Amino acid sequence: MKRTVENKQTRRNAPGWLITFEGGEGGGKSTQITRLRARLIKAGFQVIALREPGGTVISEQIRTVVLSSKNTGMAFTTEVLLFQAARAQIYREIVLPSLIAGKVVLMDRSRDSSVVYQGMVRGFGLDLIEKLNNISTQDTYPNLTFLLDLEAKLGLLRRQQSEEINRLDQESLQFHKHVRRAYQQLVQTDKMDRWELIDASQSQRQVELAIWRIIQDRLFIK
Ligand code: TYD
């Protein structure tokens, strides 16, 4: 069975659905994407799961450079543009063709990460980030964005228990608190009806079920 998605919300003409997962460190985005992917496939959808920065050969190479803990001397403008470069490649190569083909695309971070981390927390400016995001995504917005919201301290603690620590994880607790506040602010001020705020301090199972209820509702799955 191959189900297609009824897409009433998109500003694009493509029939697929773009669902992004956002939030600070340790919110469990990748676990939830794996679980949602399995559920959607079982329900008959064609699903593709990706992460940013990364997801294509070129974008993964950019990821290595932008997140390497060795690159402490990276200029801030370089960081901004590298995230956008990785994004431009993944949208061109995978996201947009998949949406045109009617697939459900699940993404671990996308344009809102640049809005929050570079635009709001580092103060690069929202207008500029919005322009760059529109260039790299070809004016594509997600149909649905889950914010996995979690106290910064708890997120960092969870992150430290997993082995993978990157350049941006090394920022102070203050930075991570700022990230959380910025996401919450973005959800409150964004005019688009695409945000779903999830309490990520719950168990993984509870978060999974909360996400699935919303997906069933929004994708009209019986
Ligand atoms: P990753 O290891 O994928 O972290 P997480 O599991 O929290 O998603 O590293 C991605 C890091 O890059 C994360 O700290 C957020 C940051 N980032 C930006 O600052 N801007 C961006 O546009 C993107 C996509 C990520």
Side-chain angles (χ1 to χ4, degrees):
M1 174 178 52
K2 182 183 154 194
R3 279 173 82 160
T4 47
V5 192
E6 192 180 337
N7 191 343
K8 292 184 173 166
Q9 206 192 350
T10 183
R11 290 165 52 164
R12 291 169 270 103
N13 292 323
W17 261 66
L18 176 58
I19 302 172
T20 57
F21 286 72
E22 294 282 351
E25 320 296 314
K29 294 189 300 312
S30 57
T31 306
Q32 293 304 330
I33 287 174
T34 307
R35 293 181 182 195
L36 177 58
R37 180 173 174 270
R39 282 180 181 269
L40 284 169
I41 289 172
K42 215 169 156 192
F45 291 95
Q46 284 193 295
V47 188
I48 185 149
L50 304 163
R51 69 169 176 185
E52 273 201 44
T56 71
V57 173
I58 293 169
S59 306
E60 287 291 333
Q61 286 173 342
I62 298 171
R63 179 187 176 91
T64 307
V65 175
V66 74
L67 295 182
S68 166
S69 21
K70 289 190 200 127
N71 288 338
T72 48
M74 185 178 292
F76 181 52
T77 312
T78 311
E79 178 184 308
V80 169
L81 295 175
L82 283 177
F83 281 122
Q84 295 294 344
R87 182 164 304 135
Q89 189 65 34
I90 199 176
Y91 272 74
R92 177 77 200 267
E93 210 178 304
I94 304 182
V95 179
L96 295 170
S98 300
L99 293 174
I100 289 165
K103 294 181 186 171
V104 179
V105 180
L106 306 179
M107 293 188 81
D108 186 341
R109 299 193 179 281
S110 196
R111 59 184 301 144
D112 300 307
S113 285
S114 286
V115 172
V116 165
Y117 284 81
Q118 281 71 51
M120 296 169 86
V121 176
R122 310 270 218 176
F124 198 76
L126 291 181
D127 289 349
L128 204 46
I129 294 290
E130 181 76 359
K131 279 191 190 124
L132 291 170
N133 272 339
N134 282 340
I135 293 170
S136 58
T137 66
Q138 300 184 34
D139 297 315
T140 305
Y141 286 83
N143 301 90
L144 176 59
T145 302
F146 288 104
L147 171 57
L148 299 192
D149 178 60
L150 182 70
E151 216 187 302
K153 221 174 178 170
L154 186 55
L156 283 180
L157 204 73
R158 282 192 188 167
R159 192 60 193 242
Q160 277 153 16
Q161 284 159 0
S162 74
E163 42 335 322
E164 198 193 332
I165 301 282
N166 67 46
R167 193 169 59 85
L168 298 174
D169 287 338
Q170 293 166 2
E171 305 276 355
S172 68
L173 177 61
Q174 229 29 53
F175 173 86
H176 291 285
K177 282 186 174 165
H178 197 164
V179 167
R180 185 188 190 202
R181 277 201 307 275
Y183 270 117
Q184 290 174 335
Q185 201 183 323
L186 184 60
V187 175
Q188 278 162 16
T189 52
D190 197 323
K191 305 251 177 338
M192 288 182 176
D193 172 36
R194 68 172 165 100
W195 287 92
E196 291 283 356
L197 194 140
I198 305 281
D199 173 6
S201 69
Q202 304 175 90
S203 71
Q204 289 183 339
R205 177 78 183 154
Q206 283 171 313
V207 173
E208 177 187 346
L209 292 176
I211 289 174
W212 185 239
R213 272 194 293 272
I214 292 164
I215 293 282
Q216 281 177 305
D217 198 34
R218 294 232 191 191
L219 279 175
F220 317 108
I221 301 170
K222 297 282 175 298

